Amino acid sequence: MEKFRSFDPCALLSPVPAVLVSCRGVEEDARPNMLTVAWAGTVNSDPPMVSVSVRKSRFSHGLIARSGEFVVNLVDEGHCRALDWCGVRSGRDGDKFAAVGLHPMAAEGMAYAPAVAECPAYLACKVRQVIELGSHDMFLGEVVGVQVQLFDPDGSLHLERAGLVCYNHGVYQKAEGVLGFFGYSVARPEVLEKRMKAYQK
């Protein structure tokens, strides 16, 4: 087995979700914007809260800070190129939605921030706290609206079929292949068989 090698301390946690964070200024004629974020995470369940960390220099930082809103859009494989493009171009220079062929739509509970119509799911968030950390500010957002596609006729949700994108130390990868479900290690054999078959459709 290859020996471990030491790195300088760094945020090597991988993989992490790669998401499009959409936002908008508070001005009446403000243009919607998107920011690629790989530093996003769940931080609380009651109330439901997520975090996104954004550099102060980013155009979206000011939009989120002033509006108090952001929307976390989960991204599928088909929109990975747009995801990357939005991370290397600034909204100061033009309309990112138009540039990558995506469309803003109204998001539940938001007065300003839109969702991305082409994404399979979004979490609409109200900023509850901003924590200055150094290179980034962390926006803690309470989730006030969620919309998701990928439901079966019986009402069960199957996000595992979305081909969601994750970020793994500089590369984008598709999250695919179900290895188990929460509690599968202690599930009765008949439950395990039934649940796992549902993931193989």
Side-chain angles (χ1 to χ4, degrees), residues 139-163:
F139 292 94
L140 294 178
E142 181 177 347
V143 180
V144 297
V146 177
Q147 286 197 316
V148 187
Q149 300 178 35
L150 299 164
F151 283 93
D152 270 359
D154 65 3
S156 58
L157 174 62
H158 287 279
L159 268 180
E160 77 279 358
R161 298 177 191 165

PDB file of all heavy atoms in Angstrom, residues 139-163:
ATOM      1  N   PHE A 139     -22.117  32.458   4.466  1.00  0.00           N
ATOM      2  CA  PHE A 139     -23.512  32.853   4.589  1.00  0.00           C
ATOM      3  C   PHE A 139     -24.303  31.654   5.107  1.00  0.00           C
ATOM      4  O   PHE A 139     -24.383  30.626   4.436  1.00  0.00           O
ATOM      5  CB  PHE A 139     -24.078  33.292   3.245  1.00  0.00           C
ATOM      6  CG  PHE A 139     -23.499  34.573   2.721  1.00  0.00           C
ATOM      7  CD1 PHE A 139     -22.415  34.553   1.847  1.00  0.00           C
ATOM      8  CD2 PHE A 139     -24.025  35.807   3.096  1.00  0.00           C
ATOM      9  CE1 PHE A 139     -21.878  35.733   1.354  1.00  0.00           C
ATOM     10  CE2 PHE A 139     -23.490  36.993   2.610  1.00  0.00           C
ATOM     11  CZ  PHE A 139     -22.414  36.953   1.737  1.00  0.00           C
ATOM     12  N   LEU A 140     -24.872  31.787   6.301  1.00  0.00           N
ATOM     13  CA  LEU A 140     -25.746  30.753   6.835  1.00  0.00           C
ATOM     14  C   LEU A 140     -27.171  31.097   6.421  1.00  0.00           C
ATOM     15  O   LEU A 140     -27.670  32.180   6.736  1.00  0.00           O
ATOM     16  CB  LEU A 140     -25.646  30.692   8.361  1.00  0.00           C
ATOM     17  CG  LEU A 140     -24.308  30.246   8.942  1.00  0.00           C
ATOM     18  CD1 LEU A 140     -24.351  30.292  10.458  1.00  0.00           C
ATOM     19  CD2 LEU A 140     -23.954  28.849   8.473  1.00  0.00           C
ATOM     20  N   GLY A 141     -27.789  30.190   5.704  1.00  0.00           N
ATOM     21  CA  GLY A 141     -29.121  30.459   5.189  1.00  0.00           C
ATOM     22  C   GLY A 141     -30.152  29.485   5.692  1.00  0.00           C
ATOM     23  O   GLY A 141     -29.919  28.267   5.689  1.00  0.00           O
ATOM     24  N   GLU A 142     -31.284  30.006   6.132  1.00  0.00           N
ATOM     25  CA  GLU A 142     -32.402  29.142   6.490  1.00  0.00           C
ATOM     26  C   GLU A 142     -33.175  28.786   5.230  1.00  0.00           C
ATOM     27  O   GLU A 142     -33.548  29.662   4.448  1.00  0.00           O
ATOM     28  CB  GLU A 142     -33.325  29.830   7.487  1.00  0.00           C
ATOM     29  CG  GLU A 142     -34.495  28.944   7.908  1.00  0.00           C
ATOM     30  CD  GLU A 142     -35.381  29.582   8.954  1.00  0.00           C
ATOM     31  OE1 GLU A 142     -34.976  30.604   9.556  1.00  0.00           O
ATOM     32  OE2 GLU A 142     -36.494  29.056   9.169  1.00  0.00           O
ATOM     33  N   VAL A 143     -33.400  27.512   5.030  1.00  0.00           N
ATOM     34  CA  VAL A 143     -34.121  27.042   3.850  1.00  0.00           C
ATOM     35  C   VAL A 143     -35.607  27.321   4.044  1.00  0.00           C
ATOM     36  O   VAL A 143     -36.233  26.791   4.960  1.00  0.00           O
ATOM     37  CB  VAL A 143     -33.880  25.540   3.615  1.00  0.00           C
ATOM     38  CG1 VAL A 143     -34.646  25.066   2.383  1.00  0.00           C
ATOM     39  CG2 VAL A 143     -32.389  25.245   3.475  1.00  0.00           C
ATOM     40  N   VAL A 144     -36.157  28.152   3.159  1.00  0.00           N
ATOM     41  CA  VAL A 144     -37.563  28.526   3.285  1.00  0.00           C
ATOM     42  C   VAL A 144     -38.415  27.973   2.141  1.00  0.00           C
ATOM     43  O   VAL A 144     -39.638  28.066   2.176  1.00  0.00           O
ATOM     44  CB  VAL A 144     -37.727  30.063   3.361  1.00  0.00           C
ATOM     45  CG1 VAL A 144     -37.034  30.602   4.598  1.00  0.00           C
ATOM     46  CG2 VAL A 144     -37.204  30.751   2.098  1.00  0.00           C
ATOM     47  N   GLY A 145     -37.763  27.394   1.135  1.00  0.00           N
ATOM     48  CA  GLY A 145     -38.496  26.809   0.016  1.00  0.00           C
ATOM     49  C   GLY A 145     -37.637  25.782  -0.698  1.00  0.00           C
ATOM     50  O   GLY A 145     -36.431  25.980  -0.857  1.00  0.00           O
ATOM     51  N   VAL A 146     -38.244  24.684  -1.097  1.00  0.00           N
ATOM     52  CA  VAL A 146     -37.535  23.628  -1.828  1.00  0.00           C
ATOM     53  C   VAL A 146     -38.441  23.127  -2.938  1.00  0.00           C
ATOM     54  O   VAL A 146     -39.635  22.885  -2.715  1.00  0.00           O
ATOM     55  CB  VAL A 146     -37.172  22.432  -0.906  1.00  0.00           C
ATOM     56  CG1 VAL A 146     -36.500  21.321  -1.708  1.00  0.00           C
ATOM     57  CG2 VAL A 146     -36.281  22.880   0.238  1.00  0.00           C
ATOM     58  N   GLN A 147     -37.886  22.984  -4.126  1.00  0.00           N
ATOM     59  CA  GLN A 147     -38.610  22.334  -5.215  1.00  0.00           C
ATOM     60  C   GLN A 147     -37.687  21.321  -5.862  1.00  0.00           C
ATOM     61  O   GLN A 147     -36.486  21.569  -6.024  1.00  0.00           O
ATOM     62  CB  GLN A 147     -39.106  23.344  -6.250  1.00  0.00           C
ATOM     63  CG  GLN A 147     -40.298  24.154  -5.754  1.00  0.00           C
ATOM     64  CD  GLN A 147     -41.040  24.833  -6.877  1.00  0.00           C
ATOM     65  OE1 GLN A 147     -40.442  25.415  -7.773  1.00  0.00           O
ATOM     66  NE2 GLN A 147     -42.355  24.786  -6.828  1.00  0.00           N
ATOM     67  N   VAL A 148     -38.263  20.166  -6.195  1.00  0.00           N
ATOM     68  CA  VAL A 148     -37.483  19.050  -6.706  1.00  0.00           C
ATOM     69  C   VAL A 148     -38.241  18.370  -7.841  1.00  0.00           C
ATOM     70  O   VAL A 148     -39.472  18.251  -7.790  1.00  0.00           O
ATOM     71  CB  VAL A 148     -37.212  18.002  -5.594  1.00  0.00           C
ATOM     72  CG1 VAL A 148     -36.245  16.928  -6.076  1.00  0.00           C
ATOM     73  CG2 VAL A 148     -36.680  18.661  -4.333  1.00  0.00           C
ATOM     74  N   GLN A 149     -37.511  17.901  -8.842  1.00  0.00           N
ATOM     75  CA  GLN A 149     -38.069  17.023  -9.866  1.00  0.00           C
ATOM     76  C   GLN A 149     -37.735  15.581  -9.456  1.00  0.00           C
ATOM     77  O   GLN A 149     -37.370  15.327  -8.321  1.00  0.00           O
ATOM     78  CB  GLN A 149     -37.472  17.370 -11.229  1.00  0.00           C
ATOM     79  CG  GLN A 149     -37.744  18.797 -11.674  1.00  0.00           C
ATOM     80  CD  GLN A 149     -37.106  19.108 -13.006  1.00  0.00           C
ATOM     81  OE1 GLN A 149     -37.016  18.283 -13.896  1.00  0.00           O
ATOM     82  NE2 GLN A 149     -36.664  20.352 -13.152  1.00  0.00           N
ATOM     83  N   LEU A 150     -37.892  14.632 -10.368  1.00  0.00           N
ATOM     84  CA  LEU A 150     -37.465  13.241 -10.167  1.00  0.00           C
ATOM     85  C   LEU A 150     -38.290  12.488  -9.134  1.00  0.00           C
ATOM     86  O   LEU A 150     -37.771  11.756  -8.298  1.00  0.00           O
ATOM     87  CB  LEU A 150     -35.972  13.177  -9.787  1.00  0.00           C
ATOM     88  CG  LEU A 150     -35.031  13.751 -10.853  1.00  0.00           C
ATOM     89  CD1 LEU A 150     -33.664  14.005 -10.278  1.00  0.00           C
ATOM     90  CD2 LEU A 150     -34.952  12.821 -12.045  1.00  0.00           C
ATOM     91  N   PHE A 151     -39.600  12.655  -9.197  1.00  0.00           N
ATOM     92  CA  PHE A 151     -40.488  11.852  -8.378  1.00  0.00           C
ATOM     93  C   PHE A 151     -41.059  10.708  -9.209  1.00  0.00           C
ATOM     94  O   PHE A 151     -41.354  10.861 -10.388  1.00  0.00           O
ATOM     95  CB  PHE A 151     -41.647  12.696  -7.833  1.00  0.00           C
ATOM     96  CG  PHE A 151     -41.276  13.576  -6.686  1.00  0.00           C
ATOM     97  CD1 PHE A 151     -40.878  14.885  -6.898  1.00  0.00           C
ATOM     98  CD2 PHE A 151     -41.314  13.092  -5.389  1.00  0.00           C
ATOM     99  CE1 PHE A 151     -40.535  15.704  -5.842  1.00  0.00           C
ATOM    100  CE2 PHE A 151     -40.975  13.898  -4.316  1.00  0.00           C
ATOM    101  CZ  PHE A 151     -40.585  15.211  -4.542  1.00  0.00           C
ATOM    102  N   ASP A 152     -41.217   9.554  -8.590  1.00  0.00           N
ATOM    103  CA  ASP A 152     -41.920   8.438  -9.213  1.00  0.00           C
ATOM    104  C   ASP A 152     -43.423   8.658  -9.076  1.00  0.00           C
ATOM    105  O   ASP A 152     -43.857   9.463  -8.248  1.00  0.00           O
ATOM    106  CB  ASP A 152     -41.530   7.125  -8.526  1.00  0.00           C
ATOM    107  CG  ASP A 152     -40.313   6.482  -9.177  1.00  0.00           C
ATOM    108  OD1 ASP A 152     -39.803   7.049 -10.159  1.00  0.00           O
ATOM    109  OD2 ASP A 152     -39.874   5.422  -8.692  1.00  0.00           O
ATOM    110  N   PRO A 153     -44.237   7.938  -9.875  1.00  0.00           N
ATOM    111  CA  PRO A 153     -45.690   8.085  -9.747  1.00  0.00           C
ATOM    112  C   PRO A 153     -46.211   7.824  -8.338  1.00  0.00           C
ATOM    113  O   PRO A 153     -47.241   8.372  -7.937  1.00  0.00           O
ATOM    114  CB  PRO A 153     -46.223   7.024 -10.727  1.00  0.00           C
ATOM    115  CG  PRO A 153     -45.147   6.907 -11.760  1.00  0.00           C
ATOM    116  CD  PRO A 153     -43.859   7.073 -11.001  1.00  0.00           C
ATOM    117  N   ASP A 154     -45.492   6.992  -7.557  1.00  0.00           N
ATOM    118  CA  ASP A 154     -45.945   6.701  -6.196  1.00  0.00           C
ATOM    119  C   ASP A 154     -45.551   7.793  -5.203  1.00  0.00           C
ATOM    120  O   ASP A 154     -45.831   7.692  -4.006  1.00  0.00           O
ATOM    121  CB  ASP A 154     -45.420   5.342  -5.721  1.00  0.00           C
ATOM    122  CG  ASP A 154     -43.895   5.312  -5.579  1.00  0.00           C
ATOM    123  OD1 ASP A 154     -43.230   6.352  -5.791  1.00  0.00           O
ATOM    124  OD2 ASP A 154     -43.367   4.239  -5.250  1.00  0.00           O
ATOM    125  N   GLY A 155     -44.888   8.843  -5.695  1.00  0.00           N
ATOM    126  CA  GLY A 155     -44.513   9.953  -4.837  1.00  0.00           C
ATOM    127  C   GLY A 155     -43.136   9.862  -4.223  1.00  0.00           C
ATOM    128  O   GLY A 155     -42.709  10.772  -3.509  1.00  0.00           O
ATOM    129  N   SER A 156     -42.415   8.773  -4.488  1.00  0.00           N
ATOM    130  CA  SER A 156     -41.075   8.631  -3.900  1.00  0.00           C
ATOM    131  C   SER A 156     -40.057   9.459  -4.699  1.00  0.00           C
ATOM    132  O   SER A 156     -40.111   9.540  -5.918  1.00  0.00           O
ATOM    133  CB  SER A 156     -40.647   7.159  -3.866  1.00  0.00           C
ATOM    134  OG  SER A 156     -40.667   6.603  -5.173  1.00  0.00           O
ATOM    135  N   LEU A 157     -39.140  10.071  -3.967  1.00  0.00           N
ATOM    136  CA  LEU A 157     -38.119  10.925  -4.553  1.00  0.00           C
ATOM    137  C   LEU A 157     -36.901  10.089  -4.929  1.00  0.00           C
ATOM    138  O   LEU A 157     -36.457   9.247  -4.143  1.00  0.00           O
ATOM    139  CB  LEU A 157     -37.711  12.016  -3.557  1.00  0.00           C
ATOM    140  CG  LEU A 157     -36.547  12.924  -3.941  1.00  0.00           C
ATOM    141  CD1 LEU A 157     -36.872  13.714  -5.198  1.00  0.00           C
ATOM    142  CD2 LEU A 157     -36.218  13.862  -2.791  1.00  0.00           C
ATOM    143  N   HIS A 158     -36.352  10.347  -6.121  1.00  0.00           N
ATOM    144  CA  HIS A 158     -35.181   9.594  -6.583  1.00  0.00           C
ATOM    145  C   HIS A 158     -34.117  10.535  -7.123  1.00  0.00           C
ATOM    146  O   HIS A 158     -33.799  10.540  -8.313  1.00  0.00           O
ATOM    147  CB  HIS A 158     -35.587   8.559  -7.638  1.00  0.00           C
ATOM    148  CG  HIS A 158     -36.317   7.389  -7.061  1.00  0.00           C
ATOM    149  ND1 HIS A 158     -35.668   6.338  -6.449  1.00  0.00           N
ATOM    150  CD2 HIS A 158     -37.630   7.138  -6.954  1.00  0.00           C
ATOM    151  CE1 HIS A 158     -36.546   5.464  -6.013  1.00  0.00           C
ATOM    152  NE2 HIS A 158     -37.754   5.926  -6.305  1.00  0.00           N
ATOM    153  N   LEU A 159     -33.523  11.320  -6.216  1.00  0.00           N
ATOM    154  CA  LEU A 159     -32.439  12.216  -6.625  1.00  0.00           C
ATOM    155  C   LEU A 159     -31.225  11.454  -7.126  1.00  0.00           C
ATOM    156  O   LEU A 159     -30.401  12.013  -7.843  1.00  0.00           O
ATOM    157  CB  LEU A 159     -32.027  13.111  -5.446  1.00  0.00           C
ATOM    158  CG  LEU A 159     -32.721  14.454  -5.317  1.00  0.00           C
ATOM    159  CD1 LEU A 159     -32.195  15.208  -4.110  1.00  0.00           C
ATOM    160  CD2 LEU A 159     -32.565  15.295  -6.574  1.00  0.00           C
ATOM    161  N   GLU A 160     -31.112  10.183  -6.746  1.00  0.00           N
ATOM    162  CA  GLU A 160     -29.961   9.404  -7.213  1.00  0.00           C
ATOM    163  C   GLU A 160     -29.963   9.229  -8.724  1.00  0.00           C
ATOM    164  O   GLU A 160     -28.951   8.868  -9.321  1.00  0.00           O
ATOM    165  CB  GLU A 160     -29.912   8.033  -6.513  1.00  0.00           C
ATOM    166  CG  GLU A 160     -30.892   6.996  -7.015  1.00  0.00           C
ATOM    167  CD  GLU A 160     -32.299   7.148  -6.457  1.00  0.00           C
ATOM    168  OE1 GLU A 160     -32.524   8.064  -5.635  1.00  0.00           O
ATOM    169  OE2 GLU A 160     -33.181   6.351  -6.841  1.00  0.00           O
ATOM    170  N   ARG A 161     -31.097   9.506  -9.369  1.00  0.00           N
ATOM    171  CA  ARG A 161     -31.174   9.403 -10.829  1.00  0.00           C
ATOM    172  C   ARG A 161     -30.837  10.708 -11.534  1.00  0.00           C
ATOM    173  O   ARG A 161     -30.880  10.787 -12.757  1.00  0.00           O
ATOM    174  CB  ARG A 161     -32.583   8.963 -11.232  1.00  0.00           C
ATOM    175  CG  ARG A 161     -32.966   7.604 -10.689  1.00  0.00           C
ATOM    176  CD  ARG A 161     -34.395   7.248 -11.054  1.00  0.00           C
ATOM    177  NE  ARG A 161     -34.843   6.065 -10.315  1.00  0.00           N
ATOM    178  CZ  ARG A 161     -36.109   5.685 -10.214  1.00  0.00           C
ATOM    179  NH1 ARG A 161     -37.054   6.403 -10.795  1.00  0.00           N
ATOM    180  NH2 ARG A 161     -36.427   4.610  -9.528  1.00  0.00           N
ATOM    181  N   ALA A 162     -30.527  11.725 -10.779  1.00  0.00           N
ATOM    182  CA  ALA A 162     -30.326  13.052 -11.371  1.00  0.00           C
ATOM    183  C   ALA A 162     -28.972  13.216 -12.037  1.00  0.00           C
ATOM    184  O   ALA A 162     -28.776  14.144 -12.814  1.00  0.00           O
ATOM    185  CB  ALA A 162     -30.494  14.132 -10.295  1.00  0.00           C
ATOM    186  N   GLY A 163     -28.029  12.334 -11.754  1.00  0.00           N
ATOM    187  CA  GLY A 163     -26.682  12.518 -12.299  1.00  0.00           C
ATOM    188  C   GLY A 163     -26.045  13.786 -11.756  1.00  0.00           C
ATOM    189  O   GLY A 163     -25.435  14.563 -12.492  1.00  0.00           O
TER     190      GLY A 163
END
